[in-house]
Amino acid sequence: MEESSAREGVRPPYLPGADAGAPATGRVPEQVRGDRPQDMAAVRGEHTHSEPPAPRVVRHSVRGQILQALRAALVDGELTPGQVYSAPALGARFGVSATPVREAMQQLATEGAVEVVPNRGFRVSERGPRELAELAEVRVLIEVPVMLRLARTVPAERWSALRPLADATVTAAAVGDRASYAESDRAFHRAVLALAGNEQLVAVADELHRRSQWPLVAGPATRRADLLADAAEHTALLDALTAQDLAVVQALVREHFTGAEG
């Protein structure tokens, strides 16, 4: 069943890692789907004569790829807030069955990114500025005290090791790749918070961070200049953490969370 409210001609969500300048095909990458008939059979979980079937491994791989692609499409706004998308229609775009798409969408439903519409599919959640402000407030309450403690206790060389992660956000921002920026942004924040040695803290903060990256209803598209400004704050934060400048750390983190990408 085709999605009942999706727009005609919408470019299908792409899979991360694809050439951003190439036409979007909505297909699973070659390393997952394969070019040979037996590769395609393996993706479908069918028995092949050349090797034993491994349906669980392949299915998990495809589901993970689809989930990653759907998350990127949410950040990029390719899945429109308020629109309903069916698993079979999205599966056709990706060149896979509806099953891994449905499983990935169920995961997104548990995260609050979409909601289940019985007998139709999944509606992309509609978010307003108030929800974004509430997420920012909670993140400040959690992360500011942790970062202030880390600034007092973590040696400078540990912060230097995080420079490549901060640089990765700058690289993604420079080309305006919102999906890649979202991933590198969260990777940086996870690495900082991981120094606190609390896995539960990292997991909770990362989930709040992910939710803060979904686009607002009728909100303006994130500009490359906004991404660059946000990425620059990562570098400035590392400088302040290294210098143990607590006042600057607190100000930067609060300001960072009010930005478009947080």
Side-chain angles (χ1 to χ4, degrees):
M1 178 178 67
E2 294 293 328
E3 62 261 52
S4 49
S5 350
R7 298 170 297 170
E8 286 284 340
V10 174
R11 182 165 64 94
Y14 63 85
L15 289 167
D19 182 357
T25 63
R27 308 290 294 185
V28 175
E30 290 185 3
Q31 62 267 32
V32 175
R33 64 177 175 84
D35 287 327
R36 299 170 301 171
Q38 57 266 41
D39 293 328
M40 291 303 297
V43 169
R44 294 192 296 268
E46 298 174 0
H47 178 72
T48 65
H49 295 289
S50 58
E51 57 186 24
R56 291 186 180 180
V57 175
V58 172
R59 178 170 171 176
H60 177 75
S61 175
V62 173
R63 180 179 58 192
Q65 290 281 343
I66 296 300
L67 178 59
Q68 185 180 9
L70 289 172
R71 283 174 171 164
L74 281 168
V75 172
D76 272 343
E78 293 185 30
L79 295 181
T80 308
Q83 294 281 7
V84 177
Y85 298 88
S86 74
L90 287 174
R93 293 182 180 188
F94 286 120
V96 298
S97 72
T99 299
V101 175
R102 188 175 293 110
E103 292 172 346
M105 280 295 207
Q106 290 288 354
Q107 174 61 36
L108 292 175
T110 66
E111 297 174 3
V114 301
E115 58 185 83
V116 178
V117 181
N119 301 319
R120 294 180 62 193
F122 301 86
R123 177 182 289 112
V124 179
S125 299
E126 300 178 90
R127 303 169 58 251
R130 178 176 179 177
E131 181 179 346
L132 188 62
E134 290 174 349
L135 287 168
E137 181 179 5
V138 176
R139 292 183 67 199
V140 165
L141 291 173
I142 293 175
E143 296 194 36
V144 167
V146 174
M147 291 198 186
L148 290 176
R149 175 163 59 88
L150 292 174
R152 290 190 292 265
T153 59
V154 173
E157 59 269 19
R158 299 289 296 277
W159 298 123
S160 296
L162 301 188
R163 291 287 174 181
L165 294 176
D167 293 342
T169 68
V170 175
T171 299
V175 296
D177 187 337
R178 288 177 289 177
S180 293
Y181 182 81
E183 291 295 330
S184 59
D185 183 22
R186 290 203 320 279
F188 172 80
H189 282 266
R190 284 196 303 269
V192 172
L193 295 177
L195 295 177
N198 187 327
E199 294 181 2
Q200 298 304 314
L201 166 71
V202 175
V204 170
D206 188 56
E207 178 60 25
L208 292 170
H209 194 169
R210 184 190 299 280
R211 291 173 59 188
S212 73
Q213 293 174 330
W214 301 333
L216 301 177
V217 175
T222 305
R223 300 174 302 170
R224 183 169 62 176
D226 296 328
L227 295 180
L228 284 169
D230 198 70
E233 291 175 354
H234 294 150
T235 301
L237 177 60
L238 280 182
D239 291 339
L241 288 166
T242 302
Q244 297 185 323
D245 192 331
L246 303 188
V248 173
V249 168
Q250 179 167 315
L252 277 172
V253 175
R254 289 180 178 276
E255 174 64 24
H256 191 60
F257 289 165
T258 63
E261 296 294 322

